[in-house]
Each structure stands twice: as structure tokens, then as C-alpha cells.
């Protein structure tokens, strides 16, 4: 049975017995037999089994600080957050909870019973979001940061908007692709781009190199003289001046007496009856075909007095009869002109002089193993006999023999010159300057005069390496 109690000492902690502001009834349940209600029992504090029923007060009590361990504050719903504006509104003050809405609970050891259901209480109140206050703009604004610093301060929506705008153009797509790439990828792309640019410049240089070189060389040579013309003419690799069809030269023929002209040159890449030679529109022969020693071989073409116009400008033409329609390669270089006077003698005297020179040449040729210079002397005498016979209108049988021996000796001289120059280059590669100087001395003994080009080559090598 529940027994009411009005003893102030029997009230739970935190309640006030003074006044009529709070009516509290305490009922005690006692085990065993019930005693009459008229007998007052001595007041004693409620046991842990007592049930406390708290009645709503009729009027508010004076405000007093609640106990920290038994105060429950009913929370009101948060007001909706205001939208961010240029200037953030002041944070509203937290409404103060009236005292009559506060509840004082007994200690945790007491079992409490509420007379009406109670709404759940929120454990913690979330902090309201404070809008970001826009920075004040002055007369001079700081420039917008670029790169990673500017993108770090942008919101996700702003970044997405910029990506959509950039994706509408090709330049924007490339910029997005570049910004999303890692540093290693950027370095690789930079290297590939640099290599591509260098390759393009190299290709353009190779394509336009002949035109660039020719622009620095000046005009194409068209005049022959005593000096050697070292430029090459023709068609193919290594040719200085392209001339697929033909190449012509002019030269002055000035001589007080009868004379013959000798055209000396080198030729390569030529087949039999491929390049013809004509002087003043008269065909005088063909350029000889290639041999084993084509690079060292020097070709000579004699122009008789009947072919030349003394005191006038003469014209010699090298014509490749296969081009066009073909595109065969051919090349001539190291051209020079030599004018040799012919004795003003009768045909019989000219024939006798030629026979004497041929006999002397045969003697030198038979003694070629005795001295290194005898082979060159034989070649010079055969050449003198040939030039003398060219002054005759009717060629005797001796003319053919002289031309045959002259061709054989020329091949031997070219082979010997090439072998000595090869020995010289080998000694230069092995840094043996003493042996290289000895080779140059041997060249000078074998070719003592300038009639053969090997003598001039030895002088050039000696000056080049200061030997």
C-alpha cells in the first residue's frame, strides 16, 4: 500500500519544502501487514524502492542554478541557416530556457516514474554553420593566383564549371589533359616534343641543303682555264652542280703558233658510250668507262688545231646521251685546260720527231725497274709523240702504237700514285710522321715533275701536315 508523507526530510534531494510552489506526495510501500492510516509513523528518508511522482507546479519558482548531474534541458529545433551573402548576419543568441521547462531528476539510484510520457532529448546540439564572410574589395585588388595556388582555393562546383567550359574547345581540352598529367608524364611529353621539333628541322635542312649550299657557292662555273676546277658536275650523290643532261664550258684559245689543247679531268659512274665530248659542235670522242682505279685515274682529251678557233672563245660540251629520258648518275670533276704548242714543221719532220720521242719513251719504259722516275719519263715521251702526231692530218701507224702505250703507262702511274698515297694515310692514322715523310719523298722521286697530278698531291699533303 502507498502511504503519503509530508515530511520535508523525506523529499528527494533537490526539492524545497518551503511554500506551496511544489506539491509532492511520497508513498512508502512496506512489506507485511498494513497498519491503520491514523497512526503516524516516524519520518525517515525514502528507501530506494520509493516511487516519486512530481506534479507540475502552479507557478514558476525562483531561478536557481540546477545541479550539474541532474539537469535536463529540452532543446528546440534549430532555425534554418541563412544563405551566404556578401555580409554574414550576426549569430542569433541562444534562447534562454524558462525554469519551468527544466527538470530536476533524483540521483541515479532512485527509481522514478513519470506521470506523462516524455519526448526524447537530443544528446548534443550541432553547431550552426557560419557563412563565410566575403573579403572586402579595395581600389587595388590582388591579382588572381594562377596554377595550383588558385585551384586550391576553388570549390568543387567552381572547378566542375571551369572544366565544362574548357572542354568545349580543343585548346581547353589540351589544357585539362596537361594539368591532369603527372610530372613524369609532362617530362616525357616535353622530351618527345623536343625530339619531334629537332627531327623536323633536321629533315628540312637535309631537303633544302643542296639549295642552301649552292646559294653560298655563288654562280655555277662555266669557264675552263689553267687552274684546276675542283667542283663536280653531273647527277647523283656528291655532285656539287646538278646537270642531268649535259654540262658545257667555255675557254679561250690564244697561241702565237699552232698548238693543241689538252682537257684533263676525272670521271666516274659512266658506262661505255654514255657521255660524249664535243668541241665547237664537233664530236671528238667519248668519256672512257669506269675502271678499278676510277677515283685515282686522270683522263686526258686532246683537241687538235683543226678543232680549235685560235684567238676566239671555244666551247666544249659533256653530253649524257641517256639522260633524258633516263636519270643515270654520272660525274666529272678536277677539270683544267692545257695548251701545248706544236712545232711548225713539215709533215715528214713531224713524223720523224714523233718517232724519236717514241723510241726514247720505249727505252725509259724498259728501264722502269731501275729508277722510280723512269716510268714517268716514258709516259712524258709517249705523250710528246702523241701530241706531235695530232698535228698531222693523216695519222700513221705509229699513232695507234703511241696511244696504246700511253694508256697502259697512265694506268700504271695512277696505280702507283694511289698505293703511295694509301701508305701515307696509313702512317698518318698511326701517328708515325717519320714514315709518312719518307712516303712523300718516295712520291717526289717517282713523280719529279708536275706533268702528273701525283706530284701536286704530295706537295699538298706536305703542307697540310707540315712535313
Amino acid at each position: 500500500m502507498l502511504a503519503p508523507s509530508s515530511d520535508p526530510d523525506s523529499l528527494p534531494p533537490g526539492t524545497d519544502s518551503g511554500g506551496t510552489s511544489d506539491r509532492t506526495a511520497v508513498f512508502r510501500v512496506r512489506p507485511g501487514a498494513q497498519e491503520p492510516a491514523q497512526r503516524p509513523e516516524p519520518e525517515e528518508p525514502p528507501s530506494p524502492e520509493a516511487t516519486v511522482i512530481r506534479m507540475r507546479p502552479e507557478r514558476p519558482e525562483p531561478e536557481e542554478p540546477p545541479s550539474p548531474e541532474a539537469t535536463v534541458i529540452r532543446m528546440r529545433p534549430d532555425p534554418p541557416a541563412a544563405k551566404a551573402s556578401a555580409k554574414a548576419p550576426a549569430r542569433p543568441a541562444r534562447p534562454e530556457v524558462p525554469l519551468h521547462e527544466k527538470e530536476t531528476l533524483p540521483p541515479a539510484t532512485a527509481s522514478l516514474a513519470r506521470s506523462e510520457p516524455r519526448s526524447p532529448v537530443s544528446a548534443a546540439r550541432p553547431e550552426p554553420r557560419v557563412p563565410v564572410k566575403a573579403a572586402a574589395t579595395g581600389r587595388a585588388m590582388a591579382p588572381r593566383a594562377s596554377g595550383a595556388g588558385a585551384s586550391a582555393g576553388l570549390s568543387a562546383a567552381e572547378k566542375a564549371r571551369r572544366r565544362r567550359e574548357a572542354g568545349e574547345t580543343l585548346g581547353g581540352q589540351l589544357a585539362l589533359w596537361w594539368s591532369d598529367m603527372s610530372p613524369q608524364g609532362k617530362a616525357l611529353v616535353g622530351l618527345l616534343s623536343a625530339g619531334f621539333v629537332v627531327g623536323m628541322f633536321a629533315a628540312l635542312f637535309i631537303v633544302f641543303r643542296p639549295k642552301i649550299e649552292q646559294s653560298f657557292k655563288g654562280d655555277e662555273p662555266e669557264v675552263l682555264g689553267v687552274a684546276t676546277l675542283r667542283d663536280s658536275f653531273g647527277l647523283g650523290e656528291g655532285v656539287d652542280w646538278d646537270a642531268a643532261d649535259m654540262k658545257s664550258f667555255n675557254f679561250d684559245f690564244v697561241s702565237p703558233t699552232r698548238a693543241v689543247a689538252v682537257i684533263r679531268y676525272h670521271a666516274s659512274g659512266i658506262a661505255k658510250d654514255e657521255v660524249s665530248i664535243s668541241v665547237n659542235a664537233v664530236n671528238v670522242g667519248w668519256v672512257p668507262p669506269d675502271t678499278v682505279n676510277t677515283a685515282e685515274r686522270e683522263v686526258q682529251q686532246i683537241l687538235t688545231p683543226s678543232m680549235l678557233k685560235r684567238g676566239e672563245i671555244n666551247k666544249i660540251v659533256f653530253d649524257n646521251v641517256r639522260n633524258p629520258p633516263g636519270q643515270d648518275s654520272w660525274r666529272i670533276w678536277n677539270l683544267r685546260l692545257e695548251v701545248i704548242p706544236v712545232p711548225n714543221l713539215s709533215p715528214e719532220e713531224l713524223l720523224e720527231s714523233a718517232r724519236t720521242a717514241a723510241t726514247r719513251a720505249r727505252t725509259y719504259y724498259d728501264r722502269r725497274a731501275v729508277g722510280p722516275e723512269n716510268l714517268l719519263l716514258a709516259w712524258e715521251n709517249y705523250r710528246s709523240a702523241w701530241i706531235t702526231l695530232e698535228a698531222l692530218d693523216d695519222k700513221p701507224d705509229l699513232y695507234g702504237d703511241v696511244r696504246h702505250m700511253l694508256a697502259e703507262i697512265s694506268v700504271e702511274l695512277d696505280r702507283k700514285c694511289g698505293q703511295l698515297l694509301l701508305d701515307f694515310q696509313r702512317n698518318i692514322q698511326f701517328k708515325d710522321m717519320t714514315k709518312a715523310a719518307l712516303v712523300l719523298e718516295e712520291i717526289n722521286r717517282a713523280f719529279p715533275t708536275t706533268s702528273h697530278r701525283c706530284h701536286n698531291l704530295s706537295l699538298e699533303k706536305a703542307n697540310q701536315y707540315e712535313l
Side-chain angles (χ1 to χ4, degrees), residues 4-183:
S5 177
S6 59
D7 189 1
D9 298 334
S10 64
L11 296 178
T15 61
D16 188 8
S17 62
T20 60
S21 62
D22 195 5
R23 292 184 300 175
T24 305
V26 179
F27 297 88
R28 183 179 301 109
V29 180
R30 295 183 180 181
Q34 300 180 355
E35 293 191 6
Q38 293 80 9
R39 285 182 64 181
E41 293 290 335
E43 299 294 335
E44 55 185 32
S47 65
E49 299 177 357
T51 302
V52 178
I53 300 177
R54 184 177 294 106
M55 308 302 291
R56 183 179 295 277
E58 296 178 357
R59 60 185 181 185
E61 298 179 356
E63 294 184 2
E64 59 183 15
S67 173
E69 61 180 4
T71 301
V72 177
I73 301 176
R74 293 183 181 179
M75 311 300 294
R76 291 184 180 180
D78 297 337
K83 293 185 178 180
S85 59
K87 185 174 181 181
R91 182 176 179 179
R94 181 178 298 180
E96 194 161 332
V97 182
L99 185 61
H100 65 273
E101 294 185 7
K102 298 182 181 180
E103 293 184 1
T104 304
L105 298 180
T109 56
S111 299
L112 302 180
R114 298 183 57 87
S115 61
E116 57 184 358
R118 180 181 177 184
S119 59
V121 180
S122 176
R125 178 177 179 181
E127 291 292 336
R129 179 176 297 178
V130 180
V132 180
K133 186 176 180 181
T137 58
R139 180 176 300 179
M141 298 181 63
R144 179 175 298 178
S146 60
S151 60
L154 298 177
S155 63
E158 183 67 16
K159 291 181 181 179
R161 184 183 66 80
R162 291 192 176 185
R163 293 181 70 90
R164 286 195 303 271
E165 293 177 355
E168 296 177 357
T169 60
L170 179 60
Q173 293 177 4
L174 292 176
L176 288 176
W177 173 73
W178 179 261
S179 61
D180 294 340
M181 189 178 298
S182 62

Side-chain angles (χ1 to χ4, degrees), residues 355-384:
R355 286 176 178 173
T356 303
T359 302
R360 188 166 51 251
R362 187 66 190 184
T363 302
Y364 283 122
Y365 182 75
D366 293 339
R367 300 173 59 186
R368 61 185 181 276
V370 177
E373 69 281 359
N374 288 338
L375 188 63
L376 180 64
L377 294 176
W379 177 80
E380 288 178 349
N381 282 272
Y382 275 121
R383 184 170 175 269
S384 177

Side-chain angles (χ1 to χ4, degrees), residues 76-337:
R76 291 184 180 180
D78 297 337
K83 293 185 178 180
S85 59
K87 185 174 181 181
R91 182 176 179 179
R94 181 178 298 180
E96 194 161 332
V97 182
L99 185 61
H100 65 273
E101 294 185 7
K102 298 182 181 180
E103 293 184 1
T104 304
L105 298 180
T109 56
S111 299
L112 302 180
R114 298 183 57 87
S115 61
E116 57 184 358
R118 180 181 177 184
S119 59
V121 180
S122 176
R125 178 177 179 181
E127 291 292 336
R129 179 176 297 178
V130 180
V132 180
K133 186 176 180 181
T137 58
R139 180 176 300 179
M141 298 181 63
R144 179 175 298 178
S146 60
S151 60
L154 298 177
S155 63
E158 183 67 16
K159 291 181 181 179
R161 184 183 66 80
R162 291 192 176 185
R163 293 181 70 90
R164 286 195 303 271
E165 293 177 355
E168 296 177 357
T169 60
L170 179 60
Q173 293 177 4
L174 292 176
L176 288 176
W177 173 73
W178 179 261
S179 61
D180 294 340
M181 189 178 298
S182 62
Q184 294 80 2
K186 291 181 180 179
L188 180 60
V189 172
L191 290 177
L192 293 178
S193 301
F196 176 76
V197 172
V198 172
M200 287 295 297
F201 277 107
L204 293 175
F205 177 76
I206 292 173
V207 171
F208 295 101
R209 179 181 178 182
K211 297 181 180 180
I212 296 174
E213 291 181 351
Q214 290 182 6
S215 63
F216 285 106
K217 289 180 180 178
D219 297 333
E220 182 177 354
E222 295 182 353
V223 178
L224 285 182
V226 179
T228 302
L229 189 59
R230 300 190 180 279
D231 293 354
S232 58
F233 308 87
L235 180 65
E237 184 179 359
V239 175
D240 296 327
W241 305 96
D242 291 335
D245 184 14
M246 65 177 62
K247 177 58 184 175
S248 61
F249 299 95
N250 299 326
F251 63 93
D252 292 332
F253 183 69
V254 179
S255 177
T257 60
R258 295 182 63 191
V260 296
V262 180
I263 304 296
R264 294 187 175 187
Y265 62 94
H266 287 71
S268 66
I270 299 174
K272 184 178 180 181
D273 297 341
E274 180 179 358
V275 179
S276 64
I277 303 175
S278 61
V279 176
N280 297 326
V282 177
N283 190 11
V284 297
W286 299 86
V287 176
D290 291 352
T291 58
V292 178
N293 60 337
T294 300
E296 294 84 13
R297 181 190 62 175
E298 185 181 45
V299 183
Q300 298 183 21
Q301 178 65 46
I302 294 181
L303 308 178
T304 62
S306 60
M307 302 176 185
L308 302 173
K309 300 177 181 180
R310 189 165 56 181
E312 299 181 11
I313 296 178
N314 296 263
K315 184 176 183 180
I316 182 172
V317 177
F318 294 85
D319 184 13
N320 191 315
V321 297
R322 299 183 182 180
N323 298 340
Q327 289 292 323
D328 295 349
S329 61
W330 64 287
R331 180 186 180 193
I332 56 174
W333 73 100
N334 285 350
L335 290 96
R336 66 187 181 99
L337 176 67

